[in-house]
């Protein structure tokens, strides 16, 4: 578990940390890296940031932003392995401390008051708060795509029979056609950083995560794709490989942001 450290000369009880880079960022916060940075009041530098979420001695929520991405990545990897790691960014690497948390946490630091937003000071930004993911919308749609990416095998098993790739001129689902057309457009006109992300999958395949206005697509370069739409709450549309999907996925993978 994260341990108690200090940041910006004030004690911070570290609860968790996340990466904010073009290739890895909390999808719930936006469709691409610049959008997420804008929501946090940060410049979308290519090197990215680490976000350290914790509480001060009064229990107030704080998000410390550091440029030391490698340190945060090492801490996350250690915690994922059940190891202790003292996450204490050097004060010279700290960009700032933002009130509140951009993500919902179900944990709290022991021995301090329950999590709450700090008392506002003149000139401070409004406290960060998690997006509302209770109702279907962009945040929940992106969370749904995250779940499919993490549980690919389970979702893939639910797909039975042949699935026809949605061609622009056929009778297939209009929303899916729109998504595929916009995804093809990314190949010729690359979108903002993070709209297309590529991560490891089994074998030599890659898992692609592609987002756009009102839609998300999850695919494996050696398999099919799944599409989610804002206008269709809770619906997941499988897209078969057909003659065109393999080439599209290969082209998207070439321009995708990848974890370093």
């Amino acid at each position: 578990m994260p341990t108690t450290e200090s940041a910006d000369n004030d004690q911070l009880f570290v609860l968790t940390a996340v990466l904010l880079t073009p290739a890895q960022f909390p999808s719930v916060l936006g469709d691409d890296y610049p959008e997420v940075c804008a929501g946090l009041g940060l410049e979308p530098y290519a090197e990215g940031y680490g976000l350290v979420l914790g509480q001060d001695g009064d229990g107030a929520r704080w998000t410390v932003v550091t440029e030391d991405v490698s340190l945060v990545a090492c801490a996350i990897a250690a915690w994922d392995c059940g190891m202790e790691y003292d996450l204490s960014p050097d004060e010279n690497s700290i960009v700032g401390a933002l009130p509140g948390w951009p993500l919902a946490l179900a944990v709290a630091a022991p021995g301090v008051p329950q999590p709450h937003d700090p008392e506002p000071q003149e000139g401070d930004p409004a406290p960060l708060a998690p997006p509302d993911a209770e109702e279907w919308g962009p945040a929940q749609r992106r969370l749904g795509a995250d779940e499919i990416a993490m549980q690919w095998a389970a979702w893939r098993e639910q797909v039975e029979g042949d699935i026809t790739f949605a061609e622009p001129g056929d009778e297939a689902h209009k929303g899916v056609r729109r998504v595929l057309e916009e995804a093809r457009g990314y190949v010729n006109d690359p979108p903002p950083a993070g709209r297309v992300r590529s991560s490891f999958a089994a074998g030599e395949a890659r898992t692609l995560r592609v987002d756009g206005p009102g839609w998300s697509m999850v695919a494996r370069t050696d398999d099919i794709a799944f599409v989610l739409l804002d206008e269709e709450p809770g619906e997941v549309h499988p897209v078969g490989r057909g003659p065109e999907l393999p080439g599209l996925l290969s082209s998207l993978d070439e321009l995708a942001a990848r974890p370093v």
Side-chain angles (χ1 to χ4, degrees), residues 130-145:
D132 181 7
E134 294 299 316
E135 300 291 334
W136 182 263
Q140 197 175 84
R141 176 251 302 167
R142 292 188 292 260
L143 287 174

Side-chain angles (χ1 to χ4, degrees), residues 80-236:
D80 286 347
C81 293
M83 302 167 58
E84 292 187 2
Y85 194 99
D86 293 337
L87 177 54
S88 182
D90 185 276
E91 62 180 30
N92 293 324
S93 77
I94 293 177
V95 176
L98 306 175
W101 295 334
L103 303 171
L105 299 185
V107 295
V112 300
Q114 286 298 304
H116 61 274
D117 289 334
E119 289 294 327
Q121 303 294 321
E122 185 175 353
D124 283 353
L128 300 175
D132 181 7
E134 294 299 316
E135 300 291 334
W136 182 263
Q140 197 175 84
R141 176 251 302 167
R142 292 188 292 260
L143 287 174
D146 285 348
E147 179 66 20
I148 293 173
M150 289 187 294
Q151 304 291 335
W152 178 269
W155 280 90
R156 186 63 177 90
E157 288 177 359
Q158 297 182 37
V159 177
E160 298 178 358
D162 295 330
I163 306 165
T164 303
F165 183 73
E167 297 289 350
D170 65 17
E171 297 301 319
H173 192 284
K174 292 182 179 179
V176 173
R177 293 209 309 270
R178 173 175 59 84
V179 168
L180 296 173
E181 289 167 2
E182 291 185 16
R184 290 189 191 99
Y186 287 173
V187 176
N188 296 320
D189 186 13
R195 284 276 180 97
V196 184
R197 288 172 281 161
S198 176
S199 58
F200 292 107
E204 298 182 358
R206 305 286 298 184
T207 296
L208 291 182
R209 175 61 186 277
V210 190
D211 292 279
W215 59 269
S216 292
M217 180 169 71
V218 184
R220 274 187 42 151
T221 52
D222 65 346
D223 204 354
I224 66 172
F226 292 95
V227 168
L228 297 86
L229 301 162
D230 279 357
E231 65 263 29
E232 296 194 27
E235 293 293 325
V236 178

